[in-house]
Every structure is written in C-alpha cells, then in structure tokens.
Amino acid sequence: MKDHCEDEIPLKWPARNVAGRPKKTTAPAPSRIPRITRLMALAIKFQEMIDRGEVKDYADLARLGLVTRARVTQIMNLTLLAPDIQEQILAGAPVDERSLRLVSALVSWSLQRTEWEKAVRALTQRPAA
C-alpha cells in the first residue's frame, strides 16, 4: 500500500502593475436617482398598466406591489400634477414628497405651479444640515 497525502495550499500572487496593462480601477458609482423621481416614474408606469388593462384597479396594484392601497393612491396622485411639474420631477428637481402631496391636492394647474415654485424655493434656500 502506498501512502498518499494531498493538501491544498491557496496561493496569493502579489498584485503588481505589469507594463502595458492598465491598473484595475473600480467604475464610479452611478449617481442616485431621487426617490420622488422614481415614484413619479412608477406612477406613470402604473397608469399605463391600468390603461392597457394589465391590472384592474389600485387594489390590484397594491397586491402586486405588496403595499397598501393608500400608498398606491399617494403614488398615483403624482399623475394629477401639471405635465411641466411632472417633467421637472423626472429631471430630478429637488422637492420632498410631503410638499408634493400638498401641490398635487390642488385642482388647478396654475395653483399647482405657484405652490410648486414655493416648495422648490423653500428647499433650495434651506441651509445645509
């Protein structure tokens, strides 16, 4: 009988720059899309799903998204905003969701635009924390 012994020895090669090869660098992290921008896009997507008949109503969306019907309603209320406000949100305008709820509750687009300007101005003039 032959005695046989096997061991695995992990080998770590020292990192070195080889001439002609660029040094490996990590790609810069993509900039974060603001939450309200993602919610606006989601509201548009949800509305398209309802229009095409993929889902019947907000309750179906809530079941699919594992959220409450109230939350779906909050998200869908973003589609009630004036089109130019929606475009600014999708472009990444600085505004918080709470302020936007007050704006979307207004029926008149001209009133929405006035309140929108106030909300954006208030956020941009706020001192950094």
Side-chain angles (χ1 to χ4, degrees), residues 5-25:
C5 181
E6 287 186 32
D7 280 334
E8 288 187 27
I9 300 172
L11 298 175
K12 285 191 174 184
W13 298 98
R16 55 186 163 161
N17 263 346
V18 178
R21 287 190 190 167
K23 189 174 183 178
K24 290 185 181 180
T25 59

Side-chain angles (χ1 to χ4, degrees), residues 10 17 23 25 29-30 32 34 38-42 44 54 62 69 71 83 86 93 124:
N17 263 346
K23 189 174 183 178
T25 59
R32 261 184 83 88
R38 289 182 279 141
L39 288 174
M40 184 75 242
L42 186 62
I44 293 168
E54 293 176 25
R69 287 179 293 176
R71 184 61 178 150
Q86 290 184 26
T124 55

Side-chain angles (χ1 to χ4, degrees), residues 46 50 54-64 69 72:
F46 282 173
I50 290 172
E54 293 176 25
V55 292
K56 186 174 66 173
D57 53 17
Y58 290 0
D60 280 349
L61 287 171
R63 279 189 291 276
L64 285 172
R69 287 179 293 176
V72 171

Side-chain angles (χ1 to χ4, degrees), residues 46-96:
F46 282 173
Q47 188 60 53
E48 289 173 355
M49 290 173 69
I50 290 172
D51 292 345
R52 285 192 305 262
E54 293 176 25
V55 292
K56 186 174 66 173
D57 53 17
Y58 290 0
D60 280 349
L61 287 171
R63 279 189 291 276
L64 285 172
L66 302 174
V67 295
T68 64
R69 287 179 293 176
R71 184 61 178 150
V72 171
T73 300
Q74 287 175 342
I75 294 168
M76 293 304 291
N77 282 344
L78 295 175
T79 62
L80 302 176
L81 291 166
D84 55 314
I85 295 175
Q86 290 184 26
E87 287 177 8
Q88 291 178 46
I89 293 169
L90 290 171
V95 68
D96 62 335

